[in-house]
């Protein structure tokens, strides 16, 4: 029997993620949205792409949750996106209510699923999904680090004119201004980037990564990035469904790791069929450690706003 992945929110990020999952041929996909016709139309369009792609999966769209029943994974992308001048935290009031309602429905229909949260502010939305679902933390986590690292990897590969696949980066912490790049672990073909790129250029690329979302919001003007966030989320789904034991940065609830407790932060994790199978504890410099703690406290400060 094929796996089943439901993607809540059939907007830019949700549709991109759903299509990528269908394209990989790894699961049947159910797209859910509150707008009548939108998930149905996009779902049918994706289904009609499958003969060309040569994949045998079903894709459907719906405004309800019955069709999502017994999903293996549910990806939550529903919510509003940023407009120019807005920070991710500005979305909290609206998106926390959406995530609360969506999670209740998800849990009712798929009590054993793994939830991958994508909507912003990401780390806070993970916290809301965990709170409402009461799932164990290894089954509720978020996508942000795959995207932040993808952006940093892009800039490095462009700077050095090397394959993106040879670039490894490590960005920790929250999805926002408080992200923490661990430059000592960033390499190209195993060579530290500090041996290849001058410090001021690295700093510039880090800053561009921190502002990566805003750069795209300012260009699009009517919404935020979706191709890279969509495929980043699909990569996490793939790692889980195929039990790849892949090390990917995930927003995960920390309970003592890195000296932080009770709050979500982006940390490299082993992703397999059970969700988060291991939280990797890296050796950090005092500055990086302080940066990660600051990032976690920034997320913690959002919790009272959501009433949790
Ligand atoms: N249930 C289901 N779908 C919903 C709900 C809900 N309660 N509320 C809103 N939606 C849907 C909207 O109808 C819309 O189609 O969520 C979709 C969001 O799509 P977009 O507006 O295109 O936003 P997108 O770019 O996909 O971003 C979604 O992901 O990256 C983050 O910051 C981004 O929080 C934002 C989220």
């Amino acid at each position: 029997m094929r796996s089943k992945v439901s993607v809540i929110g059939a907007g830019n990020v949700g549709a991109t993620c759903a299509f990528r999952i269908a394209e990989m041929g790894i699961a049947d996909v159910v797209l859910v949205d509150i707008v009548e016709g939108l998930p149905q139309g996009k779902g049918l369009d994706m289904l009609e792409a499958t003969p060309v792609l040569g994949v045998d999966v079903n894709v459907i769209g719906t405004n309800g949750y019955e069709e999502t029943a017994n999903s293996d994974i549910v990806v939550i992308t529903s919510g509003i996106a940023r407009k120019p001048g807005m920070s991710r935290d500005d979305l909290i009031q609206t998106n926390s209510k959406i995530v609360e309602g969506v999670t209740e429905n998800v849990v009712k229909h798929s009590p054993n699923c793994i939830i991958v949260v994508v909507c912003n502010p990401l780390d806070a939305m993970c916290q809301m999904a965990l709170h409402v679902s009461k799932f164990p933390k290894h089954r509720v986590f978020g996508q942000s680090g795959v995207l932040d690292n993808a952006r940093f990897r892009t800039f490095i590969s462009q700077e050095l004119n090397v394959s993106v696949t040879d670039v490894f980066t490590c960005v920790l912490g929250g999805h926002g201004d408080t992200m923490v790049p661990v430059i000592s672990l960033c390499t190209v073909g195993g060579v530290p980037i500090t041996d290849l790129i001058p410090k001021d250029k690295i700093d510039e690329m880090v800053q561009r990564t921190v502002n990566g979302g805003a750069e795209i919001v300012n260009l699009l003007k009517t919404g935020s990035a979706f191709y890279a966030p969509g495929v980043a989320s699909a990569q996490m789904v793939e790692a889980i469904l195929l039990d790849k034991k892949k090390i990917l940065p995930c927003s995960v609830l920390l309970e003592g790791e890195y000296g932080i407790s009770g709050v979500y932060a982006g940390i490299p994790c082993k992703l397999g069929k059970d969700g988060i199978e291991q939280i990797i504890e890296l050796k950090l410099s005092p500055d990086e450690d302080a940066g990660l703690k600051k990032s976690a406290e920034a997320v913690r400060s959002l919790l009272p706003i959501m009433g949790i």
Side-chain angles (χ1 to χ4, degrees):
M1 208 172 79
R2 281 198 293 264
S3 301
K4 181 169 172 179
V5 177
S6 293
V7 180
I8 317 300
N12 281 337
V13 176
T16 306
C17 175
F19 189 56
R20 178 74 186 138
I21 294 165
E23 196 180 16
M24 287 191 280
I26 54 175
D28 289 336
V29 180
V30 182
L31 257 180
V32 180
D33 202 287
I34 46 171
V35 178
E36 237 173 81
L38 179 78
Q40 291 87 346
K42 289 192 180 179
L44 180 59
D45 194 12
M46 288 182 204
L47 182 66
E48 290 169 355
T50 59
V52 181
L53 297 170
V55 289
D56 292 297
V57 294
N58 195 23
V59 186
I60 56 162
T62 172
N63 300 119
Y65 282 81
E66 284 71 26
E67 294 88 341
T68 69
N70 299 317
S71 294
D72 297 284
I73 303 177
V74 177
V75 183
I76 303 182
T77 76
S78 46
I80 53 166
R82 283 196 282 174
K83 303 220 163 51
M86 288 172 90
S87 77
R88 291 187 180 94
D89 290 356
D90 291 336
L91 307 173
I92 194 160
Q93 302 284 7
T94 309
N95 285 357
S96 64
K97 287 193 183 67
I98 293 175
V99 170
E100 186 177 8
V102 164
T103 306
E104 280 166 9
N105 279 310
V106 165
V107 170
K108 208 178 327 163
H109 292 86
S110 300
N112 300 314
C113 72
I114 287 172
I115 297 177
V116 178
V117 181
V118 183
C119 43
N120 279 307
L122 191 270
D123 307 281
M125 294 305 106
C126 290
Q127 208 105 23
M128 176 56 92
L130 182 85
H131 176 76
V132 175
S133 67
K134 300 189 173 55
F135 283 2
K137 68 171 192 175
H138 66 93
R139 283 171 43 210
V140 185
F141 46 92
Q143 187 293 116
S144 60
V146 178
L147 171 63
D148 293 333
N149 281 286
R151 287 185 172 141
F152 196 19
R153 287 170 64 195
T154 305
F155 304 146
I156 294 170
S157 83
Q158 297 257 306
E159 173 67 20
L160 294 175
N161 194 23
V162 294
S163 166
V164 288
T165 60
D166 289 333
V167 182
F168 176 84
T169 58
C170 182
V171 176
L172 308 178
H175 188 40
D177 296 344
T178 58
M179 65 179 76
V180 182
V182 184
I183 299 302
S184 59
L185 295 179
C186 300
T187 55
V188 174
V191 180
I193 60 165
T194 45
D195 290 355
L196 302 168
I197 308 173
K199 183 176 178 315
D200 57 339
K201 189 71 210 172
I202 294 175
D203 291 346
E204 204 179 285
M205 287 189 287
V206 165
Q207 206 44 47
R208 193 172 175 201
T209 304
V210 169
N211 296 329
E215 183 177 0
I216 291 181
V217 169
N218 289 334
L219 289 166
L220 293 178
K221 295 183 182 69
T222 54
S224 55
F226 54 98
Y227 290 114
V231 300
S233 311
Q235 186 184 40
M236 289 174 65
V237 168
E238 180 194 28
I240 300 162
L241 286 185
L242 305 188
D243 193 23
K244 286 178 84 100
K245 316 287 186 200
K246 193 167 172 61
I247 309 298
L248 288 175
C250 303
S251 178
V252 62
L253 183 73
L254 295 178
E255 293 176 300
E257 300 89 352
Y258 295 93
I260 298 168
S261 265
V263 71
Y264 272 79
I267 302 290
C269 295
K270 191 202 278 182
L271 269 192
K273 67 176 182 351
D274 296 326
I276 304 251
E277 299 186 354
Q278 191 187 343
I279 296 172
I280 313 286
E281 291 213 57
L282 303 169
K283 270 204 187 117
L284 300 181
S285 72
D287 274 0
E288 291 159 353
D289 186 60
L292 184 59
K293 292 202 166 84
K294 188 172 157 215
S295 180
E297 289 320 307
V299 176
R300 202 189 300 279
S301 72
L302 297 176
L303 305 186
I305 301 172
M306 303 190 295
I308 60 175

